[in-house]
Amino acid sequence: MGMNRRDFLKSSAAAAAASAVGITVPAEVQAAAAKGEAGWRWDKAPCRFCGTGCGIMLATKNGKIVAVKGDPAAPVNRGLNCIKGYFNAKIMYGADRLKVPLLRMNDKGEFDKKGKFRPVSWKRAFDEMEKAIKKALKESGPEGVAVFGSGQYTIMEGYAAQKMVKGGFRGNAIDPNARHCMASAVVGFYQTFGIDEPSGCYDDIELTDTIVSWGSNMAEMHPILWSRVTDRKLSDPERVKVVNIQTYTHRSCDLSDFNIIFSPQTDLAIWNYIAHEIVYNHPEAIDWDFIKKHIVFTVGPRNIGYGMRRAGEKSLKEGKYSAKEMEIIKKEMEKTISEKEAPALAPYGVKAGDKMKMQPGTLAHWIISFEEYKKSLEPYTLDYVAKIAKGDPNEDLESFKNKLKMLADLYIEKDRKVVSFWTMGMNQHTRGTWVNTLSYNVHFMLNKQAKPGSGAFSLTGQPSACGTAREVGTFCHRLPADLMVKNPKHRAITEKKWKIPAGTINPVGKQHIVKIHRDIEDGLVKFAWVNVCNPYQDTANANHWIKAAREKDVFIVTSDGYPGISAMVSDLVLPSAMIYEKWGGYGNAERRTQLWKQQVVPVGDAMSDTWQWVELSKRFTVKDVWGAYPPSGPRKKPLPSVIEAAKKMGYKEDTTMYEILFANADAKKYTIDDPLLKGFDDSDSLGDHRKVKGSDGKEWKGYGFFIHKYLFEEYAWFGRGHGHDLAPFDVYHKVRGLKWPVVDGKETAWRFNCKYDPYAAKHNPGGDFAFYGPLAKKLFSGTLAGPDKKKGKTPIPNKAKIFARPYMDPPEMPDKEYDTWLCTGRVLEHWHSGTMTMRVPELFRAVPEALCYMNPKDAKAKGVKRGELVWVESRRGKVKARVETHGRNRPPQGLVFVPWFDEKVFINKVTLDATCPMSKQTDYKKCAVKIYKA
């Protein structure tokens, strides 16, 4: 039978799809598919995109990935992919893929910050990096060397980067773009449970009766999970209820039993309303046995600011911010309490018109009585909350009230299981930590947390924001497995494992990702390296950061697969191997760790980010980096030299960081005769047929040991026996991931529940729950007004916390000049800044540009029509976008939605760089703009 390429692809796809759903495939189609697939090697891997953690199968032939399909054996997606998932291969083969290092140079071949990009060798690239880093260390100390890390790092890449930054350079100015996507969830976990990561898992979807989505368009952002939600709803449509709570109508709303459109920021009030209903109108619903055994009530300060620049900072003093910008920034120091928020703050002794002096965000909190907590909820009556929270001006108030009442009733119903999902709507929020903790309040009071089918569950946006950014600890304040740089015991554990002198690790970790941008603008950071992210497109108030990058005395390097905005802003661009061109591992939103093997050799001279970090370590010796440093930036005390201590450990002044951190005796135990390497490339460990000229100008022949296995196993050591247990490296190459903690070979589905979690059972033998996280488990007691520090702290082992936290206005709200709310986010077809997906022809054709989604009545009032261009302007900047008044996103009057994937519609020039002061996560969901015809 003759078959052209199109017919073959159709037959092959049909055979795979039919097989996945159990349909009998005609013998002719099976034979055609088998013939066409001759010589293909299929292997498993996780998807490159969101935090869902879907499994895919990749087919390779002649050194190229030729097909992708969903993995039927993967428990997350069960053979189904979303539209992006099917294009995992095509993201690697764009026409403008970076293949060689590029350096800005003048015509003489010298580095010139104002020069044009020209190709250079890897050796020249590392020469320039070495020179720039040594200059930064000399002028600003470790605080002058910064890294924009990523929730898309592989586990090994993230671990190598943080080991070199914190163990080598003695700095903590490494922070991932994951700061932008789930830091509020993290601090919420820490404050509530004393440990990071969710208690539940995706199996809750099939086991629950109720799915409530808060500030999350799961249909587009987590489409595979939404398919499971849809399946659950359709399996029992009368019993199973779905509710969406958001600031505008979107695709997820189509499945819902009812939708709640709220005014930006008032999700704080809605959560408190549900708690008010429980405490005041349904006290019988409170599980007091659970509460008395496992919960304490707590509160913290309210005057914590908004994470913006503070008075006295260099760039403010130099007048780099306009008068319009200062209208908002001044609220970081002091604000006037509005009529809207005053009732919510009344229990704390605050009234409308009061001047609230702000202090930088604090994690402090203290124990209060239940009566004090009840007092904090008193303002959140149905009338008050409906009045401030109704987000659609055209919705009837009584209709909105009825929806709020139905929502509360679903949570309160005695035998009804409830799962609350959220993503950026609650995380990208100037009170993101607060609203995260409020979700647990409701679930705890009803004893509907950490149980099959019930729990508050933060979904993650990036493929390894959990596995790498959080668990590996590539945040500025963290070390692996919930260890913290400020804790001397944690530093000592890490220094001992890394075989570096006591006192090496810097105890001050305050340079989060927005702070790094500000430190570049202020002149503190002299070297910045962008890894697996696009910070000059994805950070709010981007005009400031781009200008600083190009005009300040700073050397910026970007490692990427494609020339995005960050690459264009940089001084040196390095070609990175993309996902399946290297060995790697990711950790998804349900604590599932997945590893994969390198499937193909990288294009051009591209090399992995792991290789780039390890090669950089060869350029720095004990003498170069372990000397004394005077106070610098956020570190107010000197950092003493550890050179003499290093000599006592057997190191010499010229011993390199490579020898100490990466090519040590432990590493070399992982040999290259490992069976896992048989039949697969490992460009880092073995070299490859390209014969790339490496960082020393010589042919790269590999490290000679299995570096990825070494890095993974050393990282995993930190969590084993401490509630973060990972299985051995080899095991993950046999399974479709495992949910940690993995104890005695078994994964954990529901943490803190003694029936399912061996650590909970260990901490509370014979009991039902144990919230065993160790952080902040000794607290002062007091009232809503403040703590009484005279009485000392009370230990609260194995307990979780319910927090009193009020509604407060965001720092910028619509007014007469800037009369419209702006919300940003993603769309189904594109990933983050579009650097990969905009290069996939099918995805580009589907959504070629970012649109300004607007209510038709607003468009009419502003004199614009669908398809016309408008200016979207804030106090910070403006962009042109095309108006869309129909389709997938349907905002209420007074709000527009503009996604951020399109660098030509650079919406982050418009957004406000306010953050949750506790988590330092940026609020991209609300700022004030004006819209007018372009």
Side-chain angles (χ1 to χ4, degrees):
M1 162 179 155
M3 180 174 284
N4 62 31
R5 183 176 183 275
R6 179 183 293 272
D7 290 337
F8 154 65
L9 289 172
K10 286 181 178 178
S11 296
S12 184
S19 177
V21 295
I23 298 174
T24 302
V25 183
E28 184 181 82
V29 174
Q30 283 184 320
K35 182 180 179 182
E37 294 180 15
W40 289 13
R41 180 188 70 191
W42 287 97
D43 197 27
K44 72 175 183 71
C47 175
R48 171 62 178 79
F49 297 109
C50 78
T52 300
C54 294
I56 63 173
M57 296 296 292
L58 298 162
T60 55
K61 184 177 182 179
N62 298 329
K64 191 169 183 177
I65 298 174
V66 294
V68 178
K69 63 183 179 181
D71 184 354
V76 172
N77 55 312
R78 307 163 188 179
L80 185 65
N81 282 350
C82 79
I83 187 64
K84 291 188 298 296
Y86 288 109
F87 291 104
N88 268 285
K90 280 199 172 183
I91 62 173
M92 295 164 51
Y93 301 123
D96 60 342
R97 179 76 190 272
L98 293 169
K99 297 180 179 179
V100 295
L102 302 170
L103 178 69
R104 288 188 184 274
M105 293 191 289
N106 58 28
D107 292 337
K108 297 178 182 179
E110 302 164 331
F111 166 66
D112 185 340
K113 196 168 180 71
K114 296 181 180 180
K116 295 180 179 180
F117 283 117
R118 302 173 193 269
V120 293
S121 66
W122 276 110
K123 182 180 185 302
R124 174 70 186 277
F126 281 105
D127 287 346
E128 296 293 340
M129 291 173 74
E130 177 187 351
K131 189 188 310 178
I133 291 171
K134 287 179 176 177
K135 176 177 179 289
L137 289 170
K138 182 178 180 181
E139 295 180 6
S140 294
E143 288 72 19
V145 177
V147 179
F148 294 105
S150 180
Q152 299 161 63
Y153 268 143
T154 68
I155 289 169
M156 299 76 156
E157 287 169 346
Y159 186 67
Q162 99 141 324
K163 196 174 185 185
M164 183 59 198
V165 172
K166 297 180 181 181
F169 295 138
R170 307 183 73 190
N172 289 315
I174 176 172
D175 211 56
N177 63 349
R179 175 74 70 177
H180 292 316
C181 81
M182 30 49 61
S184 295
V186 172
V187 181
F189 284 125
Y190 279 147
Q191 293 231 310
T192 303
F193 300 97
I195 193 171
D196 192 12
E197 302 279 8
S199 54
C201 63
Y202 298 158
D203 293 351
D204 287 329
I205 295 171
E206 284 75 29
L207 298 171
T208 194
D209 306 309
T210 318
I211 296 101
V212 185
S213 174
W214 293 75
S216 177
N217 183 4
M218 290 177 67
E220 293 201 54
M221 307 314 135
H222 296 85
I224 298 302
L225 294 183
W226 195 244
S227 73
R228 290 175 62 170
V229 170
T230 302
D231 184 62
R232 176 62 183 137
K233 170 65 178 173
L234 297 178
S235 71
D236 191 353
E238 292 301 314
R239 173 63 180 170
V240 177
K241 302 298 180 185
V242 177
V243 183
N244 271 282
I245 304 171
Q246 62 281 310
T247 58
Y248 63 95
T249 302
H250 47 57
R251 283 178 171 173
S252 299
C253 299
D254 297 339
L255 181 69
S256 302
D257 290 272
F258 61 93
N259 299 295
I260 293 174
I261 305 298
F262 68 91
S263 178
Q265 193 88 351
T266 61
D267 44 359
L268 291 158
I270 295 173
W271 275 117
N272 276 321
Y273 160 72
I274 301 170
H276 176 279
E277 277 294 292
I278 295 168
V279 170
Y280 281 87
N281 299 327
H282 296 278
E284 75 285 352
I286 301 174
D287 188 330
W288 278 110
D289 180 61
F290 173 83
I291 294 291
K292 289 176 181 177
K293 287 195 295 185
H294 303 299
I295 302 295
V296 295
F297 295 91
T298 54
V299 70
R302 277 72 57 197
N303 61 331
I304 59 176
Y306 295 103
M308 296 183 287
R309 279 196 174 276
R310 293 190 62 80
E313 292 185 8
K314 186 177 180 183
S315 291
L316 288 189
K317 291 193 294 184
E318 292 176 350
K320 292 179 180 174
Y321 289 75
S322 69
K324 286 286 185 185
E325 290 178 281
M326 292 306 300
E327 291 175 2
I328 306 305
I329 293 174
K330 68 182 183 181
K331 296 179 184 179
E332 181 62 28
M333 280 58 77
E334 181 180 276
K335 68 163 287 179
T336 302
I337 301 301
S338 73
E339 294 286 347
K340 182 177 181 178
E341 64 193 338
L345 291 166
Y348 304 89
V350 179
K351 62 183 183 302
D354 284 355
K355 301 291 185 183
M356 179 178 281
K357 291 190 180 297
M358 298 295 187
Q359 302 296 326
T362 173
L363 301 178
H365 54 282
W366 53 92
I367 298 169
I368 57 173
S369 67
F370 171 72
E371 290 305 316
E372 285 287 291
Y373 173 68
K374 183 177 180 180
K375 178 182 173 183
S376 79
L377 295 175
E378 187 175 357
Y380 299 96
T381 63
L382 183 59
D383 287 343
Y384 171 62
V385 174
K387 178 182 177 182
I388 69 168
K390 185 169 77 73
D392 183 352
N394 296 309
E395 182 175 6
D396 178 71
L397 182 61
E398 291 306 313
S399 169
F400 188 75
K401 285 183 178 180
N402 187 52
K403 290 178 182 178
L404 292 179
K405 189 68 171 65
M406 289 192 295
L407 175 67
D409 288 345
L410 286 174
Y411 277 99
I412 293 168
E413 186 180 326
K414 183 173 176 56
D415 294 320
R416 174 171 288 277
K417 296 177 181 179
V418 186
V419 174
S420 301
F421 285 123
W422 68 90
T423 44
M424 300 311 126
M426 278 174 50
N427 290 345
Q428 292 175 344
H429 197 305
T430 54
R431 292 294 180 268
T433 299
W434 286 12
V435 74
N436 269 261
T437 60
L438 291 179
S439 69
Y440 301 116
N441 292 359
V442 168
H443 282 267
F444 280 146
M445 284 195 286
L446 302 170
N447 193 4
K448 294 184 179 183
Q449 181 67 30
K451 287 183 168 182
S454 280
F457 195 138
S458 166
L459 296 173
T460 308
Q462 297 189 83
S464 205
C466 295
T468 306
R470 293 156 78 167
E471 286 306 302
V472 170
T474 55
F475 284 90
C476 64
H477 62 293
R478 290 179 71 163
L479 293 165
D482 279 348
L483 301 183
M484 301 290 168
V485 298
K486 71 176 182 180
N487 187 315
K489 292 181 180 178
H490 292 180
R491 296 197 302 275
I493 291 168
T494 308
E495 288 161 346
K496 185 176 180 180
K497 183 60 178 176
W498 288 352
K499 295 182 174 61
I500 60 179
T504 300
I505 296 176
N506 188 332
V508 181
K510 295 184 178 181
Q511 288 173 277
H512 55 86
I513 200 163
V514 177
K515 182 71 162 61
I516 291 172
H517 280 299
R518 292 172 183 168
D519 284 347
I520 292 173
E521 188 176 49
D522 287 348
L524 175 65
V525 168
K526 303 291 187 181
F527 174 92
W529 192 359
V530 176
N531 289 176
V532 208
C533 65
N534 196 356
Y536 285 94
Q537 185 174 340
D538 70 26
T539 304
N541 204 0
N543 282 321
H544 275 276
W545 322 131
I546 290 174
K547 184 178 181 181
R550 295 310 312 143
E551 294 182 1
K552 301 295 288 188
D553 179 21
V554 59
F555 189 85
I556 295 179
V557 182
T558 290
S559 295
D560 206 340
Y562 291 103
I565 286 178
S566 295
M568 294 298 98
V569 166
S570 297
D571 302 299
L572 173 66
V573 180
L574 303 179
S576 283
M578 293 183 70
I579 179 168
Y580 309 117
E581 297 171 337
K582 58 193 177 186
W583 288 69
Y586 280 162
N588 79 346
E590 64 167 351
R591 295 173 280 108
R592 181 179 299 277
T593 306
Q594 302 182 75
L595 303 189
W596 70 89
K597 299 174 181 177
Q598 181 176 330
Q599 301 297 313
V600 291
V601 169
V603 302
D605 287 349
M607 295 295 289
S608 77
D609 290 69
T610 301
W611 180 87
Q612 292 174 36
W613 273 104
V614 176
E615 290 304 289
L616 183 70
S617 73
K618 294 177 177 178
R619 299 298 187 105
F620 296 90
T621 65
V622 167
K623 184 178 181 180
D624 291 331
V625 292
W626 282 359
Y629 295 99
S632 179
R635 179 174 49 82
K636 305 307 179 185
K637 295 181 180 179
L639 202 57
S641 172
V642 292
I643 292 175
E644 292 306 314
K647 290 178 180 178
K648 291 178 181 178
M649 296 176 69
Y651 304 132
K652 300 176 182 178
E653 288 193 359
D654 62 354
T655 304
T656 66
M657 292 298 109
Y658 171 69
E659 295 169 274
I660 297 171
L661 300 177
F662 299 113
N664 50 55
D666 289 341
K668 291 177 180 178
K669 293 175 184 176
Y670 297 92
T671 59
I672 55 175
D673 60 359
D674 193 300
L676 283 174
L677 288 167
K678 187 176 182 181
F680 287 88
D681 288 300
D682 185 343
S683 298
D684 296 346
S685 301
L686 304 172
D688 58 50
H689 65 77
R690 296 174 300 160
K691 299 182 179 180
V692 172
K693 294 290 192 299
S695 67
D696 57 1
K698 300 176 183 178
E699 179 186 333
W700 174 250
K701 296 183 178 180
Y703 292 114
F705 59 93
F706 198 172
I707 192 166
H708 307 286
K709 189 170 184 177
Y710 158 63
L711 291 170
F712 179 87
E713 287 294 346
E714 183 175 278
Y715 148 66
W717 173 89
F718 285 91
R720 290 172 181 154
H722 303 287
H724 297 261
D725 307 61
L726 295 175
F729 183 85
D730 289 26
V731 169
Y732 288 109
H733 288 285
K734 300 175 183 176
V735 299
R736 266 58 175 184
L738 293 169
K739 298 185 289 287
W740 61 262
V742 181
V743 180
D744 296 329
K746 297 179 181 178
E747 62 181 358
T748 299
W750 291 278
R751 295 170 84 199
F752 314 123
N753 186 320
C754 295
K755 186 176 179 180
Y756 304 97
D757 183 348
Y759 278 94
K762 177 182 176 182
H763 282 85
N764 187 11
D768 50 359
F769 294 92
F771 299 101
Y772 51 80
L775 297 178
K777 289 300 180 77
K778 285 185 178 181
L779 299 174
F780 290 113
S781 296
T783 65
L784 293 177
D788 180 358
K789 296 185 178 181
K790 295 178 182 178
K791 296 182 180 179
K793 292 185 177 181
T794 301
I796 50 169
N798 296 322
K799 291 196 173 187
K801 301 164 193 169
I802 285 176
F803 281 88
R805 279 174 167 157
Y807 165 77
M808 287 186 72
D809 293 339
E812 185 174 56
M813 302 171 72
D815 55 22
K816 288 184 179 180
E817 184 176 1
Y818 302 95
D819 60 355
T820 302
W821 287 109
L822 168 67
C823 178
T824 68
R826 292 200 283 119
V827 295
L828 170 66
E829 293 83 357
H830 289 294
W831 171 247
H832 277 204
S833 60
T835 312
M836 296 180 288
T837 52
M838 287 288 273
R839 287 166 168 84
V840 176
E842 294 86 345
L843 298 177
F844 176 79
R845 286 195 297 268
V847 182
E849 65 179 325
L851 302 172
C852 178
Y853 292 91
M854 182 186 298
N855 187 280
K857 292 182 178 180
D858 281 340
K860 184 177 181 180
K862 296 177 187 300
V864 298
K865 297 178 181 179
R866 183 186 187 196
E868 291 185 337
L869 289 171
V870 293
W871 284 106
V872 181
E873 181 177 344
S874 73
R875 291 172 171 86
R876 293 155 295 281
K878 65 180 183 178
V879 297
K880 279 183 186 178
R882 199 172 305 280
V883 171
E884 176 58 87
T885 56
H886 298 77
R888 63 178 79 185
N889 299 309
R890 290 149 278 167
Q893 278 187 271
L895 184 144
V896 295
F897 173 79
V898 182
W900 64 280
F901 68 86
D902 187 353
E903 62 184 39
K904 294 179 182 177
V905 183
F906 196 168
I907 197 62
N908 278 326
K909 289 183 175 181
V910 177
T911 50
L912 174 66
D913 58 320
T915 72
C916 168
M918 303 170 78
S919 71
K920 320 302 182 191
Q921 179 167 355
T922 308
D923 189 338
Y924 294 94
K925 300 303 180 185
K926 58 191 82 79
C927 71
V929 298
K930 56 185 174 183
I931 312 287
Y932 53 95
K933 196 167 184 175

